[in-house]
Amino acid sequence: MVIDMADPQVATSADELSEALRLPVWNAMSERADSLRRALPPRPDDAAGRYEWWRHLDARQQRQAEILGRLDALCGHLAGRPALGYDPAQRLPNAALHEAQGFNPQLSALIARCLAQRARRAP
């Protein structure tokens, strides 16, 4: 994956880097979510159907379904639909950075830089 937007390599502040990383992080999480979605049986839309679906998953599939739910929530958060448990004012939560890390060396290096900048300015 090549990052072809506002260049995060030249971002000078943690805020600029966070903003520049939103799309690549969303892309990485979305790719992971799509991969998990393809690996799982189709999930019904209704609550009763989802309950039965969940009951028929093995432990590995249930873990994948949990990760998928988290990725979907974080992708929605980055797209402007705040996810429960995340500050609506934080457009790129640390959890999203962690979920996108480790799948692309270039992006992972930028995420590490962003997390380090955030850690330095944390109280």
Side-chain angles (χ1 to χ4, degrees):
M1 171 170 81
V2 175
I3 300 172
D4 61 351
M5 36 164 270
D7 190 358
Q9 302 284 357
V10 297
T12 57
S13 72
D15 291 336
E16 287 176 357
L17 183 56
S18 291
E19 191 58 35
L21 285 175
R22 280 183 63 236
L23 181 60
V25 165
W26 184 89
N27 285 336
M29 289 191 310
S30 181
E31 287 174 18
R32 281 188 68 202
D34 288 344
S35 175
L36 289 169
R37 205 171 277 110
R38 285 189 301 273
L40 292 169
R43 187 181 89 165
D45 289 331
D46 65 304
R50 282 193 308 271
Y51 174 73
E52 285 303 315
W53 172 80
W54 180 262
R55 288 189 49 208
H56 289 94
L57 298 177
D58 62 31
R60 182 184 61 77
Q61 289 174 320
Q62 287 178 348
R63 177 67 181 135
Q64 289 175 328
E66 289 175 18
I67 294 169
L68 175 59
R70 178 180 168 92
L71 291 171
D72 283 343
L74 286 168
C75 282
H77 189 90
L78 268 60
R81 296 180 308 276
L84 290 175
Y86 299 100
D87 182 358
Q90 189 173 27
R91 293 171 41 102
L92 181 62
N94 283 350
L97 293 169
H98 289 292
E99 289 294 346
Q101 199 166 25
F103 296 94
N104 172 289
Q106 179 189 12
L107 180 58
S108 293
L110 292 168
I111 289 171
R113 184 174 133 207
C114 183
L115 289 168
Q117 286 179 344
R118 287 180 175 189
R120 280 194 297 273
R121 81 175 185 191

